[in-house]
PDB file of all heavy atoms in Angstrom:
ATOM      1  N   THR A   1      -2.974   4.684  16.802  1.00  0.00           N
ATOM      2  CA  THR A   1      -2.706   4.682  18.311  1.00  0.00           C
ATOM      3  C   THR A   1      -4.069   4.761  19.028  1.00  0.00           C
ATOM      4  O   THR A   1      -5.011   5.251  18.323  1.00  0.00           O
ATOM      5  CB  THR A   1      -1.777   5.675  18.709  1.00  0.00           C
ATOM      6  OG1 THR A   1      -2.341   6.997  18.383  1.00  0.00           O
ATOM      7  CG2 THR A   1      -0.365   5.643  18.021  1.00  0.00           C
ATOM      8  N   ALA A   2      -4.063   4.477  20.242  1.00  0.00           N
ATOM      9  CA  ALA A   2      -5.197   4.651  21.017  1.00  0.00           C
ATOM     10  C   ALA A   2      -5.551   6.254  21.132  1.00  0.00           C
ATOM     11  O   ALA A   2      -6.752   6.555  21.033  1.00  0.00           O
ATOM     12  CB  ALA A   2      -4.908   4.241  22.539  1.00  0.00           C
ATOM     13  N   GLU A   3      -4.590   7.136  21.107  1.00  0.00           N
ATOM     14  CA  GLU A   3      -4.852   8.433  21.072  1.00  0.00           C
ATOM     15  C   GLU A   3      -5.655   8.933  19.739  1.00  0.00           C
ATOM     16  O   GLU A   3      -6.625   9.584  19.838  1.00  0.00           O
ATOM     17  CB  GLU A   3      -3.532   9.386  21.177  1.00  0.00           C
ATOM     18  CG  GLU A   3      -3.789  10.794  21.145  1.00  0.00           C
ATOM     19  CD  GLU A   3      -2.519  11.617  21.247  1.00  0.00           C
ATOM     20  OE1 GLU A   3      -1.477  11.082  20.838  1.00  0.00           O
ATOM     21  OE2 GLU A   3      -2.650  12.813  21.641  1.00  0.00           O
ATOM     22  N   THR A   4      -5.125   8.342  18.632  1.00  0.00           N
ATOM     23  CA  THR A   4      -5.758   8.771  17.337  1.00  0.00           C
ATOM     24  C   THR A   4      -7.134   8.185  17.342  1.00  0.00           C
ATOM     25  O   THR A   4      -8.148   8.848  16.914  1.00  0.00           O
ATOM     26  CB  THR A   4      -4.886   8.205  16.212  1.00  0.00           C
ATOM     27  OG1 THR A   4      -3.551   8.708  16.285  1.00  0.00           O
ATOM     28  CG2 THR A   4      -5.521   8.700  14.856  1.00  0.00           C
ATOM     29  N   ALA A   5      -7.331   6.974  17.739  1.00  0.00           N
ATOM     30  CA  ALA A   5      -8.718   6.338  17.699  1.00  0.00           C
ATOM     31  C   ALA A   5      -9.611   7.144  18.640  1.00  0.00           C
ATOM     32  O   ALA A   5     -10.797   7.361  18.234  1.00  0.00           O
ATOM     33  CB  ALA A   5      -8.579   4.938  18.086  1.00  0.00           C
ATOM     34  N   ASP A   6      -9.111   7.608  19.764  1.00  0.00           N
ATOM     35  CA  ASP A   6     -10.013   8.440  20.638  1.00  0.00           C
ATOM     36  C   ASP A   6     -10.373   9.767  20.061  1.00  0.00           C
ATOM     37  O   ASP A   6     -11.489  10.235  20.278  1.00  0.00           O
ATOM     38  CB  ASP A   6      -9.294   8.611  21.973  1.00  0.00           C
ATOM     39  CG  ASP A   6      -9.330   7.382  22.803  1.00  0.00           C
ATOM     40  OD1 ASP A   6     -10.064   6.402  22.488  1.00  0.00           O
ATOM     41  OD2 ASP A   6      -8.558   7.233  23.866  1.00  0.00           O
ATOM     42  N   ILE A   7      -9.487  10.325  19.356  1.00  0.00           N
ATOM     43  CA  ILE A   7      -9.744  11.664  18.687  1.00  0.00           C
ATOM     44  C   ILE A   7     -10.908  11.357  17.654  1.00  0.00           C
ATOM     45  O   ILE A   7     -11.834  12.300  17.568  1.00  0.00           O
ATOM     46  CB  ILE A   7      -8.420  12.129  17.952  1.00  0.00           C
ATOM     47  CG1 ILE A   7      -7.462  12.601  18.973  1.00  0.00           C
ATOM     48  CG2 ILE A   7      -8.861  13.345  17.037  1.00  0.00           C
ATOM     49  CD1 ILE A   7      -6.131  13.041  18.353  1.00  0.00           C
ATOM     50  N   ALA A   8     -10.769  10.292  16.966  1.00  0.00           N
ATOM     51  CA  ALA A   8     -11.955   9.989  16.045  1.00  0.00           C
ATOM     52  C   ALA A   8     -13.188   9.749  16.720  1.00  0.00           C
ATOM     53  O   ALA A   8     -14.263  10.254  16.354  1.00  0.00           O
ATOM     54  CB  ALA A   8     -11.384   8.734  15.194  1.00  0.00           C
ATOM     55  N   HIS A   9     -13.189   8.860  17.716  1.00  0.00           N
ATOM     56  CA  HIS A   9     -14.438   8.415  18.364  1.00  0.00           C
ATOM     57  C   HIS A   9     -15.079   9.542  19.074  1.00  0.00           C
ATOM     58  O   HIS A   9     -16.369   9.615  19.100  1.00  0.00           O
ATOM     59  CB  HIS A   9     -14.117   7.210  19.261  1.00  0.00           C
ATOM     60  CG  HIS A   9     -13.493   6.050  18.583  1.00  0.00           C
ATOM     61  ND1 HIS A   9     -13.785   5.735  17.215  1.00  0.00           N
ATOM     62  CD2 HIS A   9     -12.780   5.008  19.092  1.00  0.00           C
ATOM     63  CE1 HIS A   9     -13.115   4.612  16.931  1.00  0.00           C
ATOM     64  NE2 HIS A   9     -12.495   4.237  17.959  1.00  0.00           N
ATOM     65  N   SER A  10     -14.282  10.386  19.659  1.00  0.00           N
ATOM     66  CA  SER A  10     -14.842  11.496  20.595  1.00  0.00           C
ATOM     67  C   SER A  10     -15.584  12.498  19.572  1.00  0.00           C
ATOM     68  O   SER A  10     -16.403  13.262  20.046  1.00  0.00           O
ATOM     69  CB  SER A  10     -13.744  12.212  21.236  1.00  0.00           C
ATOM     70  OG  SER A  10     -12.888  12.840  20.380  1.00  0.00           O
ATOM     71  N   ARG A  11     -15.320  12.373  18.322  1.00  0.00           N
ATOM     72  CA  ARG A  11     -15.975  13.211  17.283  1.00  0.00           C
ATOM     73  C   ARG A  11     -17.003  12.507  16.517  1.00  0.00           C
ATOM     74  O   ARG A  11     -17.474  12.916  15.433  1.00  0.00           O
ATOM     75  CB  ARG A  11     -15.014  13.999  16.473  1.00  0.00           C
ATOM     76  CG  ARG A  11     -14.276  15.062  17.296  1.00  0.00           C
ATOM     77  CD  ARG A  11     -12.829  15.316  16.712  1.00  0.00           C
ATOM     78  NE  ARG A  11     -12.200  16.336  17.474  1.00  0.00           N
ATOM     79  CZ  ARG A  11     -11.486  16.241  18.531  1.00  0.00           C
ATOM     80  NH1 ARG A  11     -11.411  14.948  19.112  1.00  0.00           N
ATOM     81  NH2 ARG A  11     -10.961  17.227  19.314  1.00  0.00           N
ATOM     82  N   GLY A  12     -17.281  11.166  16.978  1.00  0.00           N
ATOM     83  CA  GLY A  12     -18.308  10.501  16.339  1.00  0.00           C
ATOM     84  C   GLY A  12     -17.930   9.618  15.106  1.00  0.00           C
ATOM     85  O   GLY A  12     -18.791   9.104  14.328  1.00  0.00           O
ATOM     86  N   PHE A  13     -16.678   9.449  14.832  1.00  0.00           N
ATOM     87  CA  PHE A  13     -16.124   8.797  13.641  1.00  0.00           C
ATOM     88  C   PHE A  13     -15.554   7.410  13.936  1.00  0.00           C
ATOM     89  O   PHE A  13     -14.971   7.178  15.027  1.00  0.00           O
ATOM     90  CB  PHE A  13     -15.056   9.605  12.970  1.00  0.00           C
ATOM     91  CG  PHE A  13     -15.626  10.786  12.062  1.00  0.00           C
ATOM     92  CD1 PHE A  13     -16.107  11.904  12.732  1.00  0.00           C
ATOM     93  CD2 PHE A  13     -15.583  10.601  10.720  1.00  0.00           C
ATOM     94  CE1 PHE A  13     -16.564  12.927  11.930  1.00  0.00           C
ATOM     95  CE2 PHE A  13     -16.144  11.657   9.965  1.00  0.00           C
ATOM     96  CZ  PHE A  13     -16.553  12.809  10.541  1.00  0.00           C
ATOM     97  N   ALA A  14     -15.775   6.520  12.933  1.00  0.00           N
ATOM     98  CA  ALA A  14     -14.837   5.327  12.950  1.00  0.00           C
ATOM     99  C   ALA A  14     -13.691   5.683  12.095  1.00  0.00           C
ATOM    100  O   ALA A  14     -13.539   6.668  11.415  1.00  0.00           O
ATOM    101  CB  ALA A  14     -15.681   4.181  12.304  1.00  0.00           C
ATOM    102  N   LEU A  15     -12.668   4.736  12.143  1.00  0.00           N
ATOM    103  CA  LEU A  15     -11.430   4.983  11.527  1.00  0.00           C
ATOM    104  C   LEU A  15     -10.976   3.698  10.858  1.00  0.00           C
ATOM    105  O   LEU A  15     -11.040   2.593  11.507  1.00  0.00           O
ATOM    106  CB  LEU A  15     -10.323   5.492  12.561  1.00  0.00           C
ATOM    107  CG  LEU A  15      -9.032   5.901  12.107  1.00  0.00           C
ATOM    108  CD1 LEU A  15      -9.120   7.044  11.131  1.00  0.00           C
ATOM    109  CD2 LEU A  15      -8.190   6.405  13.392  1.00  0.00           C
ATOM    110  N   VAL A  16     -10.583   3.748   9.703  1.00  0.00           N
ATOM    111  CA  VAL A  16     -10.050   2.560   8.891  1.00  0.00           C
ATOM    112  C   VAL A  16      -8.645   2.812   8.436  1.00  0.00           C
ATOM    113  O   VAL A  16      -8.411   3.956   7.965  1.00  0.00           O
ATOM    114  CB  VAL A  16     -10.969   2.271   7.738  1.00  0.00           C
ATOM    115  CG1 VAL A  16     -10.200   1.240   6.688  1.00  0.00           C
ATOM    116  CG2 VAL A  16     -12.208   1.590   8.220  1.00  0.00           C
ATOM    117  N   GLU A  17      -7.773   1.800   8.539  1.00  0.00           N
ATOM    118  CA  GLU A  17      -6.410   2.026   8.079  1.00  0.00           C
ATOM    119  C   GLU A  17      -5.987   0.782   7.267  1.00  0.00           C
ATOM    120  O   GLU A  17      -6.367  -0.332   7.564  1.00  0.00           O
ATOM    121  CB  GLU A  17      -5.441   2.128   9.198  1.00  0.00           C
ATOM    122  CG  GLU A  17      -3.983   2.444   8.765  1.00  0.00           C
ATOM    123  CD  GLU A  17      -3.052   2.687  10.008  1.00  0.00           C
ATOM    124  OE1 GLU A  17      -2.992   1.716  10.780  1.00  0.00           O
ATOM    125  OE2 GLU A  17      -2.485   3.749  10.034  1.00  0.00           O
ATOM    126  N   PHE A  18      -5.357   1.105   5.983  1.00  0.00           N
ATOM    127  CA  PHE A  18      -4.840  -0.017   5.249  1.00  0.00           C
ATOM    128  C   PHE A  18      -3.399   0.288   4.820  1.00  0.00           C
ATOM    129  O   PHE A  18      -2.926   1.463   4.971  1.00  0.00           O
ATOM    130  CB  PHE A  18      -5.745  -0.286   4.073  1.00  0.00           C
ATOM    131  CG  PHE A  18      -5.675   0.763   2.969  1.00  0.00           C
ATOM    132  CD1 PHE A  18      -4.994   0.474   1.822  1.00  0.00           C
ATOM    133  CD2 PHE A  18      -6.418   1.864   3.082  1.00  0.00           C
ATOM    134  CE1 PHE A  18      -4.889   1.529   0.830  1.00  0.00           C
ATOM    135  CE2 PHE A  18      -6.400   2.909   2.138  1.00  0.00           C
ATOM    136  CZ  PHE A  18      -5.617   2.666   0.961  1.00  0.00           C
ATOM    137  N   ASN A  19      -2.717  -0.685   4.369  1.00  0.00           N
ATOM    138  CA  ASN A  19      -1.385  -0.472   3.857  1.00  0.00           C
ATOM    139  C   ASN A  19      -1.342  -0.327   2.338  1.00  0.00           C
ATOM    140  O   ASN A  19      -1.429  -1.217   1.573  1.00  0.00           O
ATOM    141  CB  ASN A  19      -0.543  -1.676   4.271  1.00  0.00           C
ATOM    142  CG  ASN A  19       0.827  -1.617   3.696  1.00  0.00           C
ATOM    143  OD1 ASN A  19       1.363  -0.651   3.151  1.00  0.00           O
ATOM    144  ND2 ASN A  19       1.662  -2.836   3.946  1.00  0.00           N
ATOM    145  N   ARG A  20      -1.130   1.036   1.965  1.00  0.00           N
ATOM    146  CA  ARG A  20      -1.233   1.306   0.505  1.00  0.00           C
ATOM    147  C   ARG A  20      -0.089   0.604  -0.273  1.00  0.00           C
ATOM    148  O   ARG A  20      -0.174   0.333  -1.458  1.00  0.00           O
ATOM    149  CB  ARG A  20      -1.180   2.802   0.290  1.00  0.00           C
ATOM    150  CG  ARG A  20      -0.017   3.535   0.972  1.00  0.00           C
ATOM    151  CD  ARG A  20      -0.116   5.048   0.722  1.00  0.00           C
ATOM    152  NE  ARG A  20       0.574   5.706   1.800  1.00  0.00           N
ATOM    153  CZ  ARG A  20       1.919   5.789   1.831  1.00  0.00           C
ATOM    154  NH1 ARG A  20       2.660   5.331   0.860  1.00  0.00           N
ATOM    155  NH2 ARG A  20       2.491   6.494   2.695  1.00  0.00           N
ATOM    156  N   CYS A  21       1.057   0.382   0.439  1.00  0.00           N
ATOM    157  CA  CYS A  21       2.134  -0.342  -0.217  1.00  0.00           C
ATOM    158  C   CYS A  21       1.944  -1.814  -0.556  1.00  0.00           C
ATOM    159  O   CYS A  21       2.669  -2.440  -1.194  1.00  0.00           O
ATOM    160  CB  CYS A  21       3.429  -0.148   0.592  1.00  0.00           C
ATOM    161  SG  CYS A  21       3.988   1.600   0.763  1.00  0.00           S
ATOM    162  N   ALA A  22       0.816  -2.275  -0.007  1.00  0.00           N
ATOM    163  CA  ALA A  22       0.354  -3.740  -0.392  1.00  0.00           C
ATOM    164  C   ALA A  22      -0.110  -3.628  -1.808  1.00  0.00           C
ATOM    165  O   ALA A  22      -0.230  -4.762  -2.493  1.00  0.00           O
ATOM    166  CB  ALA A  22      -0.683  -4.174   0.520  1.00  0.00           C
ATOM    167  N   LEU A  23      -0.465  -2.553  -2.382  1.00  0.00           N
ATOM    168  CA  LEU A  23      -0.943  -2.365  -3.755  1.00  0.00           C
ATOM    169  C   LEU A  23       0.210  -2.145  -4.738  1.00  0.00           C
ATOM    170  O   LEU A  23       0.355  -2.968  -5.682  1.00  0.00           O
ATOM    171  CB  LEU A  23      -1.890  -1.222  -3.878  1.00  0.00           C
ATOM    172  CG  LEU A  23      -3.246  -1.447  -3.132  1.00  0.00           C
ATOM    173  CD1 LEU A  23      -3.396  -0.481  -2.015  1.00  0.00           C
ATOM    174  CD2 LEU A  23      -4.392  -1.303  -4.170  1.00  0.00           C
ATOM    175  N   VAL A  24       1.062  -1.207  -4.406  1.00  0.00           N
ATOM    176  CA  VAL A  24       2.176  -0.871  -5.230  1.00  0.00           C
ATOM    177  C   VAL A  24       3.337  -0.529  -4.170  1.00  0.00           C
ATOM    178  O   VAL A  24       3.074   0.297  -3.259  1.00  0.00           O
ATOM    179  CB  VAL A  24       1.970   0.301  -6.225  1.00  0.00           C
ATOM    180  CG1 VAL A  24       3.266   0.566  -6.983  1.00  0.00           C
ATOM    181  CG2 VAL A  24       0.814   0.043  -7.093  1.00  0.00           C
ATOM    182  N   SER A  25       4.530  -1.108  -4.370  1.00  0.00           N
ATOM    183  CA  SER A  25       5.670  -0.952  -3.421  1.00  0.00           C
ATOM    184  C   SER A  25       6.049   0.492  -3.537  1.00  0.00           C
ATOM    185  O   SER A  25       5.930   1.257  -4.511  1.00  0.00           O
ATOM    186  CB  SER A  25       6.769  -1.931  -3.642  1.00  0.00           C
ATOM    187  OG  SER A  25       7.249  -1.646  -4.923  1.00  0.00           O
ATOM    188  N   ASP A  26       6.760   0.898  -2.439  1.00  0.00           N
ATOM    189  CA  ASP A  26       7.329   2.262  -2.411  1.00  0.00           C
ATOM    190  C   ASP A  26       8.801   2.162  -2.042  1.00  0.00           C
ATOM    191  O   ASP A  26       9.173   1.986  -0.788  1.00  0.00           O
ATOM    192  CB  ASP A  26       6.528   3.039  -1.331  1.00  0.00           C
ATOM    193  CG  ASP A  26       6.965   4.562  -1.307  1.00  0.00           C
ATOM    194  OD1 ASP A  26       7.622   4.958  -2.322  1.00  0.00           O
ATOM    195  OD2 ASP A  26       6.671   5.220  -0.297  1.00  0.00           O
ATOM    196  N   PRO A  27       9.742   2.262  -2.991  1.00  0.00           N
ATOM    197  CA  PRO A  27      11.236   2.059  -2.624  1.00  0.00           C
ATOM    198  C   PRO A  27      11.677   3.094  -1.682  1.00  0.00           C
ATOM    199  O   PRO A  27      11.133   4.242  -1.678  1.00  0.00           O
ATOM    200  CB  PRO A  27      11.859   2.331  -4.037  1.00  0.00           C
ATOM    201  CG  PRO A  27      10.722   2.047  -5.002  1.00  0.00           C
ATOM    202  CD  PRO A  27       9.527   2.443  -4.380  1.00  0.00           C
ATOM    203  N   PRO A  28      12.491   2.769  -0.783  1.00  0.00           N
ATOM    204  CA  PRO A  28      13.070   3.704   0.246  1.00  0.00           C
ATOM    205  C   PRO A  28      13.849   4.830  -0.430  1.00  0.00           C
ATOM    206  O   PRO A  28      14.368   4.619  -1.515  1.00  0.00           O
ATOM    207  CB  PRO A  28      13.972   2.910   1.143  1.00  0.00           C
ATOM    208  CG  PRO A  28      14.289   1.765   0.312  1.00  0.00           C
ATOM    209  CD  PRO A  28      13.166   1.416  -0.607  1.00  0.00           C
ATOM    210  N   PHE A  29      13.803   6.050   0.158  1.00  0.00           N
ATOM    211  CA  PHE A  29      14.548   7.108  -0.381  1.00  0.00           C
ATOM    212  C   PHE A  29      16.087   6.789  -0.348  1.00  0.00           C
ATOM    213  O   PHE A  29      16.602   6.225   0.568  1.00  0.00           O
ATOM    214  CB  PHE A  29      14.186   8.366   0.428  1.00  0.00           C
ATOM    215  CG  PHE A  29      15.124   9.567   0.073  1.00  0.00           C
ATOM    216  CD1 PHE A  29      14.832  10.304  -1.071  1.00  0.00           C
ATOM    217  CD2 PHE A  29      16.265   9.872   0.838  1.00  0.00           C
ATOM    218  CE1 PHE A  29      15.728  11.426  -1.403  1.00  0.00           C
ATOM    219  CE2 PHE A  29      17.037  10.961   0.463  1.00  0.00           C
ATOM    220  CZ  PHE A  29      16.702  11.692  -0.624  1.00  0.00           C
ATOM    221  N   ARG A  30      16.789   7.373  -1.354  1.00  0.00           N
ATOM    222  CA  ARG A  30      18.214   7.320  -1.369  1.00  0.00           C
ATOM    223  C   ARG A  30      18.670   8.676  -1.922  1.00  0.00           C
ATOM    224  O   ARG A  30      17.999   9.286  -2.683  1.00  0.00           O
ATOM    225  CB  ARG A  30      18.759   6.115  -2.057  1.00  0.00           C
ATOM    226  CG  ARG A  30      18.641   6.250  -3.578  1.00  0.00           C
ATOM    227  CD  ARG A  30      19.596   5.153  -4.280  1.00  0.00           C
ATOM    228  NE  ARG A  30      19.410   5.151  -5.717  1.00  0.00           N
ATOM    229  CZ  ARG A  30      20.111   5.932  -6.408  1.00  0.00           C
ATOM    230  NH1 ARG A  30      20.935   6.885  -6.001  1.00  0.00           N
ATOM    231  NH2 ARG A  30      19.866   5.947  -7.837  1.00  0.00           N
ATOM    232  N   ASP A  31      19.941   8.938  -1.593  1.00  0.00           N
ATOM    233  CA  ASP A  31      20.584  10.209  -2.049  1.00  0.00           C
ATOM    234  C   ASP A  31      20.616  10.222  -3.556  1.00  0.00           C
ATOM    235  O   ASP A  31      21.063   9.215  -4.104  1.00  0.00           O
ATOM    236  CB  ASP A  31      21.955  10.354  -1.447  1.00  0.00           C
ATOM    237  CG  ASP A  31      22.607  11.722  -1.855  1.00  0.00           C
ATOM    238  OD1 ASP A  31      21.784  12.587  -2.192  1.00  0.00           O
ATOM    239  OD2 ASP A  31      23.830  11.686  -1.896  1.00  0.00           O
ATOM    240  N   VAL A  32      20.139  11.284  -4.260  1.00  0.00           N
ATOM    241  CA  VAL A  32      20.266  11.242  -5.685  1.00  0.00           C
ATOM    242  C   VAL A  32      21.131  12.381  -6.202  1.00  0.00           C
ATOM    243  O   VAL A  32      21.035  12.880  -7.300  1.00  0.00           O
ATOM    244  CB  VAL A  32      18.795  11.467  -6.297  1.00  0.00           C
ATOM    245  CG1 VAL A  32      17.945  10.243  -6.049  1.00  0.00           C
ATOM    246  CG2 VAL A  32      18.205  12.702  -5.682  1.00  0.00           C
ATOM    247  N   SER A  33      22.071  12.803  -5.231  1.00  0.00           N
ATOM    248  CA  SER A  33      22.981  13.957  -5.672  1.00  0.00           C
ATOM    249  C   SER A  33      23.826  13.490  -6.856  1.00  0.00           C
ATOM    250  O   SER A  33      24.383  14.417  -7.638  1.00  0.00           O
ATOM    251  CB  SER A  33      23.823  14.342  -4.475  1.00  0.00           C
ATOM    252  OG  SER A  33      24.596  13.281  -3.966  1.00  0.00           O
ATOM    253  N   GLY A  34      24.104  12.261  -7.073  1.00  0.00           N
ATOM    254  CA  GLY A  34      24.872  11.826  -8.192  1.00  0.00           C
ATOM    255  C   GLY A  34      24.077  11.666  -9.552  1.00  0.00           C
ATOM    256  O   GLY A  34      24.687  11.201 -10.506  1.00  0.00           O
ATOM    257  N   GLY A  35      22.825  11.927  -9.377  1.00  0.00           N
ATOM    258  CA  GLY A  35      21.982  11.744 -10.607  1.00  0.00           C
ATOM    259  C   GLY A  35      20.727  10.971 -10.260  1.00  0.00           C
ATOM    260  O   GLY A  35      20.502  10.523  -9.208  1.00  0.00           O
TER     261      GLY A  35
END
């Protein structure tokens, strides 16, 4: 977000973001009470 980017820049940092699930997928959580 703009807020997060501003937090980074106000402290002298650049910020990079990538989608880790583009490397290996992450199945959504489901209830495992049955095993």
Side-chain angles (χ1 to χ4, degrees):
T1 64
E3 180 183 23
T4 307
D6 284 349
I7 290 171
H9 301 333
S10 66
R11 290 156 177 85
F13 279 76
L15 188 55
V16 163
E17 185 176 60
F18 72 100
N19 175 4
R20 53 185 157 76
C21 292
L23 292 112
V24 180
S25 64
D26 188 16
F29 170 80
R30 72 169 177 82
D31 181 26
V32 294
S33 57

